[in-house]
Amino acid sequence: DGGITQSPKYLFRKEGQNVTLSCEQNLNHDAMYWYRQDPGQGLRLIYYSQIVNDFQKGDIAEGYSVSREKKESFPLTVTSAQKNPTAFYLCASSPGLYNSPLHFGNGTRLTVT
Amino acid sequence: GDSVTQMEGPVTLSEEAFLTINCTYTATGYPSLFWYVQYPGEGLQLLLKATKADDKGSNKGFEATYRKETTSFHLEKGSVQVSDSAVYFCALTRETSGSRLTFGEGTQLTVNP
């Protein structure tokens, strides 16, 4: 079955450590996205990539970094510069065309203490 | 900039009750509108969409009509079930955004037997 795989489902880190969240898709989609979900705030876009080797900042990119070296992979690194990293992170992909729906992974819940 | 506003939650209903979740938007031009649903512990799934004024999107008994005059896209279902308990997100995209979505805050729905 085609889909998006995020791993791990739960992740725990100490403050001051960088951590990388994995996102892999086998839908052959061009575009990939990272959203952050916090209670009562909906989804906020962190980074997105429309094509391999290219990506753009979303609305809350500070303290995060990404890479897009392969079409199927879009890892997100939460750096120690992110002031409030504890959240639920969702990866999504789409063909990239206007009106094409997003396909979401099941998310990674990151807890930083 | 673009924005989506949903009715405040949480919403609690009894099984077979009528559901309305309000959604209004602010955007230039003619956006496309979406409803996504998130079941506990999962990512988001597309529920329905409408791409032009007066279009009605429908799926699984849910409906929403794109009303440009009131900039609204309210979600309705005539008879909810316990299995409809989830978080519902209204979202929009514009042609210049590709498939990048702007989301509302989400509305938590709980249906009791």
Side-chain angles (χ1 to χ4, degrees), chain A residues 42-72:
Chain A
L43 276 70
R44 294 180 290 168
L45 183 64
I46 304 172
Y47 268 98
Y48 64 105
S49 168
Q50 309 261 43
I51 197 169
V52 175
N53 291 323
D54 189 38
F55 49 83
Q56 287 79 41
K57 293 181 179 179
D59 301 317
I60 56 164
E62 185 175 350
Y64 299 98
S65 66
V66 294
S67 63
R68 186 86 187 278
E69 297 176 0
K70 298 186 296 183
K71 186 175 186 177
E72 58 270 24

Side-chain angles (χ1 to χ4, degrees), chain A residues 9 33 37 94 98-99 102 105, chain B residues 32 36 38 41 43 49 99:
Chain A
K9 190 171 179 67
Y33 306 80
Q37 184 176 13
S94 82
Y98 175 54
N99 281 338
L102 298 189
Chain B
S32 291
Y36 281 79
Q38 183 181 33
K49 73 176 188 180
S99 54

